[in-house]
């Protein structure tokens, strides 16, 4: 799907200038400063394929930050979404951390200030989640039914069977291990002599 990267094709009299700007900004696109724009595309797609969904924060920047186009993107695992937030919160109907208005439009997301698996750092207030407007978040997932608000991993239908197979393999290995420890003590008589075989 991504290949080596999705490259826009510019048209019009300023096409060359836009292409040059895209090339320059592409190396600055990652808010974490690790990937270029094509690496971000690949990371987002791979994460969505593994987890079923991924969040991409749109990070506006100031002109003095020295970025060719004053915006960067940050790819976040879905763990950043506080799916424990449910009910009527801040005037929105919130379902698994996604805030909807009365018409069912997504208005925002409740995101943790840092990954919930990380230790709480002193710079964060409480490690809790806060409302982030939907205009600054891309929630990338494959929508397969009307009203679907979250993505599903592609392997979701087989997860339980894979787990069962893993448990079976563990039980079989354990059984073979026990069999290898089994010994037999037998005795027989050979004319007046008795031999023991183990």
């Amino acid at each position: 799907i991504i290949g080596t990267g999705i490259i826009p094709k510019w048209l019009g009299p300023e096409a060359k200038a836009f292409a040059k700007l895209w090339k320059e900004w592409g190396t600055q696109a990652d808010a974490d400063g690790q990937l270029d724009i094509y690496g971000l595309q690949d990371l987002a797609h791979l994460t969505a394929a593994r987890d079923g969904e991924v969040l991409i924060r749109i990070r506006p920047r100031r002109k003095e930050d020295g970025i060719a186009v004053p915006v960067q993107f940050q790819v976040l695992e879905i763990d950043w979404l506080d799916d424990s937030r449910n009910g009527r919160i801040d005037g929105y109907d919130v379902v698994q951390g996604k805030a909807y208005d009365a018409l069912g439009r997504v208005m925002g997301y409740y995101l943790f200030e840092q990954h919930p698996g990380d230790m709480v750092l002193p710079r964060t207030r409480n490690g809790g989640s806060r409302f982030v407007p939907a205009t600054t978040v891309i929630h990338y997932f494959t929508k397969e039914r009307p009203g679907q608000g979250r993505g599903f991993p592609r392997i979701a239908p087989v997860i339980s069977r894979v787990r069962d197979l893993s448990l079976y393999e563990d039980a079989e290995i354990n059984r073979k291990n026990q069999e290898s420890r089994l010994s037999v003590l037998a005795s027989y008589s050979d004319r007046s002599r008795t031999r023991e075989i183990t």
Side-chain angles (χ1 to χ4, degrees):
I1 294 174
I2 300 299
T4 57
I6 300 169
I7 305 172
K9 183 176 181 181
W10 308 100
L11 302 174
E14 297 187 48
K16 286 185 179 180
F18 287 148
K20 182 180 177 183
L21 192 59
W22 170 267
K23 187 175 181 180
E24 181 184 353
W25 172 79
T27 61
Q28 306 168 335
D30 186 5
D32 294 330
Q34 298 174 339
L35 302 170
D36 62 9
I37 186 63
Y38 307 112
L40 287 174
Q41 292 174 17
D42 190 47
L43 178 63
H45 177 69
L46 289 175
T47 305
R50 183 192 67 224
D51 299 339
E53 54 190 335
V54 67
L55 299 171
I56 304 165
R57 290 283 305 268
I58 302 169
R59 301 287 198 171
R61 301 301 187 212
R62 297 183 301 270
K63 186 176 180 180
E64 54 267 25
D65 290 334
I67 298 171
V69 178
V71 67
Q72 291 181 311
F73 296 97
Q74 183 181 23
V75 178
L76 302 174
E77 290 179 306
I78 198 62
D79 298 345
W80 287 76
L81 181 65
D82 186 357
D83 58 9
S84 68
R85 293 270 197 151
N86 291 286
R88 189 78 178 164
I89 305 172
D90 300 328
Y92 298 111
D93 293 320
V94 181
V95 180
Q96 293 185 335
K98 290 180 72 172
Y100 299 88
D101 68 3
L103 298 177
R105 295 175 297 193
V106 179
M107 302 305 292
Y109 300 81
Y110 285 91
L111 302 182
F112 291 110
E113 295 182 15
Q114 64 184 35
H115 192 283
D118 294 342
M119 293 177 59
V120 178
L121 301 176
R123 61 183 170 83
T124 62
R125 290 190 296 274
N126 56 13
S129 61
R130 64 183 180 87
F131 180 83
V132 177
T135 54
T136 62
V137 177
I138 300 169
H139 185 193
Y140 173 50
F141 66 97
T142 301
K143 195 163 188 173
E144 298 175 347
R145 61 178 177 78
Q148 179 181 338
R150 299 284 304 270
F152 299 96
R154 292 181 183 171
I155 63 167
V158 298
I159 287 175
S160 61
R161 289 189 59 84
V162 170
R163 181 180 176 276
D164 290 344
L165 180 60
S166 177
L167 291 173
Y168 168 76
E169 287 177 342
D170 289 344
E172 189 65 20
I173 290 170
N174 191 38
R175 184 177 71 85
K176 291 294 185 183
N177 190 7
Q178 294 296 327
E179 284 179 1
S180 69
R181 296 177 185 187
L182 191 64
S183 63
V184 176
L185 178 64
S187 65
Y188 70 95
S189 179
D190 181 14
R191 297 197 180 192
S192 61
R193 294 180 296 170
T194 300
R195 293 182 181 175
E196 290 188 352
I197 301 173
T198 56

